[in-house]
Amino acid sequence: MTPAARLQAVIDLLTEIDETPRPADAVMSAYFRARRYIGSKDRTAVAQTAYAILRRHARLCWWLERQGHPPTPRARALANEILAEGKAAGTVKALFGSSKFAPDPLAPEEAKLANELDTHTLDHPQMPESVAVECPPWAEEPMRAAMGDRFAVEMRTLLDSAPLDLRINPVKANRESAIKALARAQITATPTQWSPLGLRVQGRPPLGAVDAFKDGLVEIQDEGSQLVAIAVAPKPGQQVVDFCAGAGGKTLAIAALMKNKGRVVACDVLAGRLKRAAERFRRAGLHNIEAHPLSSERDPWVKRHKRKFDRVLVDAPCSGTGTWRRNPDSRWRQLGPGLAELVPLQANILDSAARLVKPGGRLVYATCSLLPEENEKQVAAFLETHPDFTVLPVADVWAEEGAGTPPAEGPYLRLTPARHDTDGFFAAVMVRKAEEEPVEAADGEQPE
């Protein structure tokens, strides 16, 4: 593809993302599947440019508003070429209308916009801090409350692209054998800093065609997500529930940590996701997992299995603020419930799932959010209404597992991209108090 054709593809892709109520990565996948004639290098270039524009959304729109121009896909793509890529206005204008597959010629107001932006850069001293760090208005107050004086540092790190992490499947491999298997496919992987099961891969290799992936030696999973599974601390032979299993990433990690012994029940209200996860379970060679769709968080199945499980993980639906490196569009496009709806939903899910925990068992509440409303405040509210649960510090869990020192300050697991180079995650481990043994009565007496 010529540079002009690539630019038109970027504009087309941005238009579809704007108009389609689905995550950007899903829209991009569908876009390229429908255009298999686009070669791999061109696909990579187009996708990288589109993602870059999504990551620069607030700053590009600030410049366009300053010039009195609407933030159309064409305008954002044009502004990105000049402000972020450093190209001269004349060079960019020449791409429009230059060939059959190029963008349509610039309208007079678009040509004027290019001239006005010429020689400028993306950042500007008059730009508000929230715009400069790409923080949407709805998240600014809670993000500042969560980050304090680290607000700008954390937000700027969330503008980077996320690394590609893998988790070894201990049922089939260890780190050394997985690294060697990946090396045979010309993929370089090194151990992750925090997770004893993790590997970080250089670049973005097409893992779907790699034997190590196809044979279930490794799974794609962010290092932070791996640490949440480790916080569950499942043991072989136990009964475990992943209450909001989704695509099954943490379910896989938990089942593997249990060495295929015991029982893991993957629950979710989206039966389709569980069905798709079944293929991942088979590839991993894990046969201790069963899927159980729920009608809602109050499904009668929960009541029937009250106090039956050793471990219950609630990976609650959340704002996803910790995953903005991977999903930059989610800052600006509300594709699900907002924060006002999510907080009571999380509380209801946590309350219902807690019924499954047996005395002495553990309830692990987790989100991929950085916001206190969804994390610490949610746990505090739960503990107030559930006095039979107490917090088990994450450091104690790590000590039990022989996993060294956890990346945690205080009793909870709190991960941020700037501090830990993982996605943002939160996890709290809570233990249901063991039931007291009944007092044994003497002969002829009634027990108290």
Side-chain angles (χ1 to χ4, degrees):
M1 296 175 74
T2 64
R6 283 184 176 179
L7 182 60
Q8 180 57 50
V10 169
I11 294 169
D12 290 342
L13 191 46
L14 290 173
T15 301
E16 290 202 16
I17 291 171
D18 284 357
E19 295 175 353
T20 308
R22 297 176 66 200
D25 59 348
V27 176
M28 287 192 191
S29 295
Y31 178 87
F32 289 120
R33 278 198 306 273
R35 296 164 178 81
R36 296 192 182 277
Y37 55 83
I38 300 179
S40 60
K41 288 185 179 179
D42 290 317
R43 282 199 304 270
T44 299
V46 170
Q48 286 180 343
T49 301
Y51 268 120
I53 291 172
L54 293 175
R55 288 192 172 90
R56 299 162 182 162
H57 178 83
R59 288 167 290 172
L60 290 171
C61 289
W62 183 85
W63 275 105
L64 294 173
E65 183 180 358
R66 183 182 173 92
Q67 300 302 324
H69 199 286
T72 64
R74 276 171 62 93
R76 280 147 52 206
L78 182 153
N80 181 70
E81 292 290 299
I82 298 171
L83 297 171
E85 302 299 331
K87 296 177 182 177
T91 302
V92 177
K93 288 192 293 183
L95 296 174
F96 289 79
S98 61
S99 65
K100 178 181 178 181
F101 299 105
D104 291 339
L106 292 175
E109 60 271 18
E110 291 176 320
K112 179 183 177 184
L113 171 67
N115 292 333
E116 293 290 345
L117 297 179
D118 196 24
T119 72
H120 288 290
T121 58
L122 187 60
D123 295 308
H124 190 282
Q126 294 180 12
M127 191 176 280
E129 183 181 46
S130 60
V131 173
V133 298
E134 300 280 334
C135 185
W138 68 266
E140 183 176 2
E141 184 178 341
M143 275 291 202
R144 287 188 182 278
M147 304 302 178
D149 59 5
R150 291 185 57 81
F151 171 76
V153 173
E154 292 289 352
M155 289 301 304
R156 288 191 186 281
T157 304
L158 281 167
L159 297 179
D160 299 334
S161 58
L164 176 57
D165 292 340
L166 306 178
R167 177 187 53 76
I168 63 165
N169 177 5
V171 172
K172 292 190 172 185
N174 55 37
R175 265 178 163 170
E176 291 71 25
S177 63
I179 289 172
K180 290 178 181 177
L182 291 165
R184 288 194 289 271
Q186 310 300 312
I187 295 173
T188 301
T190 55
T192 49
Q193 179 180 1
W194 306 106
S195 170
L197 302 174
L199 297 174
R200 183 152 291 179
V201 172
Q202 289 186 10
R204 298 282 173 180
L207 287 168
V210 174
D211 288 340
F213 179 78
K214 291 193 293 184
D215 295 340
L217 276 65
V218 294
E219 280 284 339
I220 299 172
Q221 187 177 25
D222 179 76
E223 185 181 12
S225 180
Q226 297 177 36
L227 294 178
V228 171
I230 291 171
V232 176
K235 303 294 188 292
Q238 287 186 334
Q239 302 285 310
V240 180
V241 172
D242 186 353
F243 199 69
C244 305
K250 295 181 183 69
T251 308
L252 281 166
I254 290 168
L257 288 168
M258 294 168 66
K259 302 178 181 178
N260 243 340
K261 299 174 183 177
R263 176 189 179 212
V264 183
V265 182
C267 297
D268 204 279
V269 294
L270 299 175
R273 298 190 74 187
L274 289 177
K275 190 173 292 186
R276 290 191 294 274
E279 174 55 33
R280 301 179 71 187
F281 303 156
R282 284 192 294 271
R283 186 174 65 236
L286 296 169
H287 50 73
N288 60 335
I289 302 173
E290 62 183 72
H292 188 88
L294 301 176
S295 59
S296 73
E297 68 273 13
R298 296 286 171 182
D299 191 289
W301 179 88
V302 179
K303 185 176 181 180
R304 292 198 303 270
H305 291 81
K306 186 177 178 181
R307 301 196 174 202
K308 298 290 187 183
F309 290 89
D310 301 281
R311 302 283 191 269
V312 176
L313 170 63
V314 176
D315 184 14
C318 67
S319 63
T321 49
T323 65
W324 278 352
R325 295 189 302 176
R326 300 181 189 281
N327 307 301
D329 60 310
S330 64
R331 302 170 187 241
W332 313 107
R333 304 166 69 227
Q334 186 173 318
L335 300 178
L339 196 60
E341 294 81 28
L342 282 168
V343 171
L345 174 62
Q346 292 160 355
N348 197 27
I349 292 172
L350 188 55
D351 175 71
S352 182
R355 295 179 291 167
L356 296 167
V357 182
K358 65 167 55 174
R362 297 181 186 179
L363 174 65
V364 180
Y365 173 74
T367 72
C368 54
S369 171
L370 298 168
L371 306 182
E373 289 84 349
E374 300 181 277
N375 297 336
E376 296 88 347
K377 292 182 180 179
Q378 195 68 265
V379 173
F382 173 82
L383 293 172
E384 282 185 8
T385 55
H386 297 77
D388 54 334
F389 280 89
T390 57
V391 172
L392 178 65
V394 167
D396 292 357
V397 178
W398 255 243
E400 289 176 2
E401 299 300 298
T405 303
E409 298 173 3
Y412 305 132
L413 184 69
R414 296 186 188 91
L415 303 171
T416 73
R419 288 183 182 273
H420 306 105
D421 199 17
T422 68
D423 284 353
F425 275 99
F426 172 88
V429 182
M430 294 169 280
V431 180
R432 171 166 256 149
K433 295 175 183 176
E435 291 179 342
E436 295 184 4
E437 293 294 328
V439 178
E440 196 169 310
D443 289 345
E445 294 182 0
Q446 294 293 322
E448 295 181 358

